Amino acid sequence: MKLTVDRLHVTLDHNPILRDVSLEAREGDIVGLVGPNGSGKSTLLRAVYRSLRPADGAVRVGEDNVWELSPRAAARRTAAVLQDAGGNTTGLTVTEIVALGRVPHHGLLGRDGAEDREAVSDAIDRCGVRPFADRDYASLSGGERQRVLLARALAQSPQLLVLDELTNHLDIRARFELLDLIRATGITTLAVLHDLDLAARLCDHLVVLHDGAVAAAGPVLEVLTPDLLADVFGVRAGTERHADGVIRITYAAQPLPNGGESPEHNHARLAETAER
Amino acid sequence: MIVGISIGAVNVPLDDVWGIVLHHVTGAGAAHSDPALDQIVWNFRTPRVVLAALVGAGLAVSGAVLQTVVSNPLADPIVLGFSYGATLGAVLVITLGGGAALAGLGVSAAAFLGAVAAGALVFALGQRRGRLAPTRLVLAGVAVGYVFLSATSYVQLQATPTELRTVMFWMLGSVSGAHWGQLPTVTVVVLATTTLLSLFGRRLNALLAGDESATALGVDVNRLRAVLLVLAALLTGTVIAVAGSIGFVGLMIPHLVRLTTGADHRRLLPLTALLGAVYLVLVDLLSRTLNRPNEIPLGILTALLGAPFFLWLLRRNKGLD
């Protein structure tokens, strides 16, 4: 389903975190949310998965504003995989973790039915976690855990996936496998990614957040220009599509002396360094 | 349970116990020929064993829920201050006795009010801007507990030696005062809250994934925490009020069940209730047989017997590393 974020303003403890943020993900698109630390990426996600109420603006999945739905109704549309530090899942098996995806589909009296078991089993298969389905989640490696959490999200039968740094701490092979998995689901996805190369590889579109506002949005090659990379990320780099169709970013050896100022400034400095 | 009823200061043959209990429950068969035996079994032993089971179940379930609600494996009714609140209530009534202010208020009622007051305080202090944060709740519980403990110690200093003995015995817990009159209330509260808490099992599981993840799973985390805290305080207050402050059960029984059958609350809570009940019936049995005809307070035995077994299980389990 289509995701529309419309003129979103979010404040935390009276500090504005997001200012007038709008973005759109068409049905089936994977949209990457990138930006330096503290630019407001996770805050934007929280407003989307209904954890932090925006001061103004709307988040629509399909036609409905998620903030006008009940928490459970919203969670039947949007599934999130987060870096949650507060949890303590010791003692839950992989299957039990995946089954948590069915929580929003039941009230207090609901019992697990055939539909639930099917959704859980299907998610387990799709994410390839069947071999350790009965093991304690706490005993898994980082890559295995992320696949289990993705399976939990799929078991939710969502129309929108929200991913926060899904591939952190994973080795390169596990990253690629996970990205392929997400592509294969065909579900509209909004993903916060730290690694720009990975973002370029996975996403159809990118949205760049800088200081709580959208600095750029659009197809990867149009967004990740040398100017923007210098401006927002404070690095000298170029982006190009290689012969194999993969978009790669090439970074200069040294970062800019003082990242994130006006473009003219950076251009001047670039020219300066080039002369030397 | 039947064995628990049959053994005591006077041993009653199992057959007789069956006969008497069956007669009273179903009306089948003839009344027992020895009225004294009938009296012992039906009016003293049976309510005592039933109460022990209810108290054990209540404490264990309350502990299991609190551990998840504040995401802390050390949480139990004592850490969250409920028990100390109940103790202060009880000790006040014991020492002031017919004191004007508390006249008409029994030890049990006062203990219940104390536990609920402690629960309300922890609830009020544990939130900031309407959000109940786990760590804040635990710290508020510990602080409230210390305040109640200080007040209790002060009141104890004013007490006579006889009153002190009563206080001591109450603080260590006992079900020796069980009688049929108190059982209906306790039964209803324990069964109702345990059932209700079990219905929240799925959401309690979601809470294990962390607050943000639970929110993304459609759980109103803050409201869930509030509801669970209220239920747990009510449950704890009720069982402590009738049996005194019994430690260990609320902390260890849930962990025992988790270590053996996993953490899914839909299984964990009923099994915890069952094991808590069985455990306290056994402990009560030992408490009145080890040192016949004197009784050893339950609080002394619960930990003394349970801790070694728990430690053994802890060492054997690799999942906690």
Side-chain angles (χ1 to χ4, degrees):
Chain A
M1 229 179 238
K2 194 171 98 167
L3 165 72
T4 321
V5 173
D6 193 14
R7 312 198 66 119
L8 205 65
H9 289 262
V10 177
T11 56
L12 210 78
D13 294 340
H14 306 293
N15 296 320
I17 306 295
L18 292 180
R19 288 171 288 122
D20 201 27
V21 169
S22 297
L23 66 88
E24 198 181 276
R26 288 169 308 176
E27 165 116 44
D29 264 6
I30 298 182
V31 171
L33 198 55
V34 296
N37 291 330
S39 58
K41 303 183 300 278
S42 294
T43 304
L44 177 53
L45 289 197
R46 288 186 68 191
V48 172
Y49 65 74
R50 214 184 174 289
S51 163
L52 186 60
R53 185 180 283 279
D56 198 14
V59 176
R60 274 188 279 276
V61 179
E63 295 306 314
D64 298 308
N65 186 344
V66 297
W67 284 97
E68 284 162 11
L69 298 172
S70 74
R72 263 177 59 209
R76 285 195 291 268
R77 297 175 183 223
T78 307
V81 180
L82 310 169
Q83 305 286 323
D84 214 323
N88 174 18
T89 43
T90 313
L92 287 183
T93 66
V94 167
T95 307
E96 282 162 350
I97 295 272
V98 176
L100 288 180
R102 303 309 293 171
V103 168
H105 295 268
H106 291 284
L108 278 190
L109 294 172
R111 300 190 64 85
D112 285 343
E115 195 187 337
D116 298 303
R117 282 189 292 272
E118 204 172 298
V120 170
S121 175
D122 184 49
I124 285 176
D125 284 333
R126 270 159 87 185
C127 297
V129 299
R130 177 74 65 196
F132 39 89
D134 293 324
R135 270 175 56 193
D136 192 319
Y137 175 77
S139 72
L140 303 182
S141 74
E144 291 166 337
R145 286 182 189 202
Q146 294 299 65
R147 267 151 71 193
V148 172
L149 294 186
L150 186 63
R152 184 189 78 197
L154 294 185
Q156 235 166 306
S157 316
Q159 280 130 2
L160 172 70
L161 267 181
V162 171
L163 311 172
D164 192 5
E165 301 286 6
L166 185 68
T167 56
N168 257 11
H169 314 301
L170 297 192
D171 62 46
I172 194 72
R173 183 194 159 97
R175 283 183 188 204
F176 286 166
E177 283 175 355
L178 212 55
L179 296 187
D180 288 342
L181 251 170
I182 294 162
R183 269 247 161 265
T185 65
I187 302 171
T188 315
T189 300
L190 179 64
V192 162
L193 291 158
H194 229 86
D195 185 328
L196 290 178
D197 266 312
L198 217 58
R201 207 183 168 97
L202 171 74
C203 302
D204 302 303
H205 283 78
L206 289 184
V207 174
V208 183
L209 277 186
H210 188 36
D211 288 338
V214 175
V220 177
L221 278 178
E222 287 171 31
V223 168
L224 294 183
T225 59
D227 278 359
L228 180 119
L229 290 168
D231 252 12
V232 174
F233 294 93
V235 292
R236 271 186 292 149
T239 313
E240 57 184 333
R241 188 183 292 279
H242 286 232
D244 55 5
V246 176
I247 296 171
R248 288 198 182 83
I249 303 167
T250 316
Y251 298 96
Q254 291 152 342
L256 286 165
N258 210 339
E261 285 170 32
S262 72
E264 295 89 304
H265 238 96
N266 287 328
H267 282 309
R269 216 179 277 124
L270 266 175
E272 230 173 80
T273 3
E275 272 168 38
R276 268 190 242 141
Chain B
M1 272 190 141
I2 292 295
V3 177
I5 296 170
S6 87
I7 303 175
V10 178
N11 282 339
V12 183
L14 282 178
D15 288 349
D16 290 328
V17 173
W18 259 123
I20 292 167
V21 172
L22 222 62
H23 169 70
H24 280 278
V25 174
T26 64
H32 198 270
S33 52
D34 183 349
L37 216 58
D38 184 274
Q39 172 84 354
I40 288 175
V41 167
W42 188 247
N43 284 338
F44 297 118
R45 296 272 173 80
T46 311
R48 179 179 187 148
V49 170
V50 173
L51 188 66
L54 288 170
V55 169
L59 287 173
V61 166
S62 169
V65 169
L66 290 175
Q67 282 156 13
T68 301
V69 166
V70 299
S71 0
N72 191 319
L74 292 177
D76 76 345
I78 295 176
V79 168
L80 280 163
F82 301 168
S83 300
Y84 292 123
T87 305
L88 179 62
V91 169
L92 273 176
V93 170
I94 293 171
T95 53
L96 298 180
L102 292 158
L105 201 62
V107 174
S108 290
F112 177 77
L113 288 180
V116 172
L121 264 177
V122 172
F123 193 90
L125 298 172
Q127 60 183 317
R128 214 167 79 97
R129 293 203 192 101
R131 213 180 81 81
L132 289 163
T135 314
R136 201 185 302 274
L137 277 172
V138 177
L139 293 178
V142 172
V144 165
Y146 270 113
V147 171
F148 277 102
L149 188 61
S150 312
T152 306
S153 306
Y154 181 77
V155 175
Q156 277 178 279
L157 281 179
Q158 323 293 320
T160 66
T162 332
E163 285 165 357
L164 268 185
R165 247 193 96 74
T166 321
V167 167
M168 191 69 187
F169 204 73
W170 192 88
M171 282 171 75
L172 289 168
S174 169
V175 285
S176 60
H179 55 86
W180 283 111
Q182 70 193 167
L183 284 182
T185 322
V186 181
T187 309
V188 168
V189 172
V190 170
L191 287 185
T193 46
T194 302
T195 311
L196 209 54
L197 288 168
S198 300
L199 288 181
F200 281 107
R202 210 189 295 269
R203 292 175 203 192
L204 277 160
N205 287 347
L207 221 44
L208 290 179
D211 280 13
E212 281 297 306
S213 294
T215 305
L217 287 167
V219 175
D220 187 336
V221 170
N222 212 37
R223 204 170 66 184
L224 178 65
R225 244 191 209 114
V227 170
L228 294 172
L229 267 183
V230 169
L231 288 175
L234 188 70
L235 179 60
T236 318
T238 307
V239 295
I240 297 183
V242 290
S245 156
I246 301 169
F248 188 83
V249 178
L251 181 64
M252 293 304 171
I253 298 290
H255 285 305
L256 266 175
V257 178
R258 276 194 203 98
L259 287 172
T260 43
T261 64
D264 185 338
H265 287 82
R266 288 173 289 174
R267 208 169 44 229
L268 173 69
L269 293 184
L271 285 177
T272 298
L274 196 68
L275 188 64
V278 169
Y279 186 62
L280 212 59
V281 168
L282 278 177
V283 168
D284 178 51
L285 179 62
L286 289 172
S287 89
R288 58 198 150 94
T289 50
L290 283 181
N291 189 20
R292 272 190 269 203
N294 296 319
E295 297 199 358
I296 305 169
L298 294 179
I300 293 180
L301 289 178
T302 45
L304 207 59
L305 298 172
F309 177 67
F310 182 76
L311 289 172
W312 170 77
L313 198 70
L314 208 56
R315 284 194 66 80
R316 220 187 48 145
N317 193 288
K318 298 186 200 78
L320 295 169
D321 295 336

